[in-house]
Amino acid sequence: MAMRKYFDIHTHVWPDRLAPAACRNLGDFYVFPIEGKGTVSDLTEVCTGHGIAGALMLCVATNARQVRAVNDGAAAAVAGMRASGLLSYAFGGYHQDCTDAEETVAHALEIGLSGFKLHPDIQGADIDDERFLPLYRCCEEAGLPVYFHMGDARPQYRFSEAVKLLRVKEKFPSLMTVAAHLGGYSAWDDAALLAETDNILFDTSSSLWAMSPERAVELIHMLGTDRVMFGTDYPVVTAATELPRFERLELTEAEKDAIAFGNAARFLGF
């Protein structure tokens, strides 16, 4: 049970029939074990069982045809978690082959989604690919944030390098963005490139287990304790293992409270 108030800013779920294969594919892509089941019911159980107030669910679209269905499913997942008394939000997916950014953003707003999530490495397109620019423009105009998977040290997966996000920010400076994984999964040295850029937030997901507590604190302080949010990357990791990791960090109680809940509350407006 969490000793302080927590909100999990970085989670993924799939329909029950798809979740086992999705978890296997995720584990195969990153070559690491998956702790959770990847379903709404399991995430709900994890949150309620560990005192987590709620979660943001992030969707990824692997082709343009599935975008609408993925986003409709995300809205249904939000309703399911809220029925259990949890704070629940979702960011929809978008694919670089979509040709209807305005319609996609309008539909997302209509069904209650709170932003969009891109995973450039899985989608096989750079963050600054010109095909994403219509989405960024529409989101900037609508005041919707875009959440990015960031970083990968493997040479074949360099679609989400920090410098590419900086190029997007040059074009869309007021677009609110989140750079996941403390700014760059397995490429954390690059996160320094983002530290001084406005309208970028960060999360702790898929980072704390991969580095020393001292390194994590160093990165969090560099990025700003008012800009970092707690995330597990469920189902990769669950709260059962991630909460103790976070609590061991040598941060002040005020810093931990902000990262655990306060920064996410300000970001999502709850």
Side-chain angles (χ1 to χ4, degrees):
M1 184 72 68
M3 299 299 294
R4 71 180 79 249
K5 198 166 189 178
Y6 274 87
F7 182 88
D8 191 342
I9 200 69
H10 194 134
T11 70
H12 306 279
V13 296
W14 298 270
D16 289 1
R17 64 184 178 84
L18 300 177
C23 287
R24 285 195 302 273
N25 291 339
L26 185 62
D28 290 344
F29 186 85
Y30 281 109
V31 196
F32 55 35
I34 305 296
E35 292 184 4
K37 297 178 181 178
T39 62
V40 173
S41 59
D42 187 55
L43 177 59
T44 299
E45 184 176 334
V46 167
C47 288
T48 56
H50 293 87
I52 295 178
L56 172 62
M57 293 171 283
L58 303 171
C59 299
V60 175
T62 57
N63 63 66
R65 297 184 306 278
Q66 69 179 199
V67 167
R68 192 176 183 94
V70 163
N71 293 348
D72 286 340
V78 167
M81 287 192 70
R82 288 183 177 176
S84 298
L86 295 169
L87 291 168
S88 180
Y89 300 84
F91 279 21
Y94 185 86
H95 193 269
Q96 63 269 20
D97 291 334
C98 288
T99 58
D100 54 354
E102 290 186 7
E103 180 181 339
T104 301
V105 170
H107 179 66
L109 288 168
E110 180 182 344
I111 62 177
L113 301 185
S114 301
F116 284 87
K117 165 68 186 296
L118 298 179
H119 196 307
D121 297 277
I122 286 178
Q123 294 180 220
D126 291 320
I127 285 176
D128 58 346
D129 190 306
E130 64 179 12
R131 293 173 293 176
F132 287 132
L133 301 188
L135 174 70
Y136 302 151
R137 185 174 299 109
C138 290
C139 285
E140 185 177 53
E141 292 173 354
L144 289 178
V146 180
Y147 212 120
F148 295 96
H149 166 86
M150 292 297 299
D152 199 313
R154 295 175 293 179
Q156 69 271 39
Y157 297 115
R158 305 308 296 268
F159 301 98
S160 52
E161 293 175 302
V163 67
K164 294 174 182 176
L165 179 54
L166 288 181
R167 292 176 190 146
V168 170
K169 296 299 293 180
E170 289 173 358
K171 291 184 174 70
F172 305 99
S174 64
L175 175 66
M176 178 57 70
T177 59
V178 183
H181 318 310
L182 289 178
Y185 170 74
S186 71
W188 287 285
D189 289 345
D190 292 344
L193 297 174
L194 305 174
E196 303 300 324
T197 304
D198 292 337
N199 295 320
I200 300 182
L201 301 177
F202 306 88
D203 73 35
T204 64
S205 68
S206 284
S207 298
L208 303 185
W209 53 261
M211 63 181 65
S212 70
E214 294 77 16
R215 175 60 169 152
V217 170
E218 177 186 25
L219 279 171
I220 289 170
H221 281 154
M222 179 190 69
L223 298 172
T225 56
D226 61 336
R227 302 172 71 189
V228 176
M229 301 174 287
F230 174 82
T232 62
D233 210 0
Y234 172 92
V236 177
V237 178
T238 69
T241 54
E242 197 69 359
L243 288 175
R245 285 193 190 104
F246 179 76
E247 288 295 339
R248 284 195 293 268
L249 299 181
E250 291 191 4
L251 299 165
T252 69
E253 291 302 301
E255 289 172 335
K256 287 181 179 179
D257 287 343
I259 294 166
F261 189 85
N263 296 339
R266 186 175 68 254
F267 171 53
L268 293 174
F270 54 79

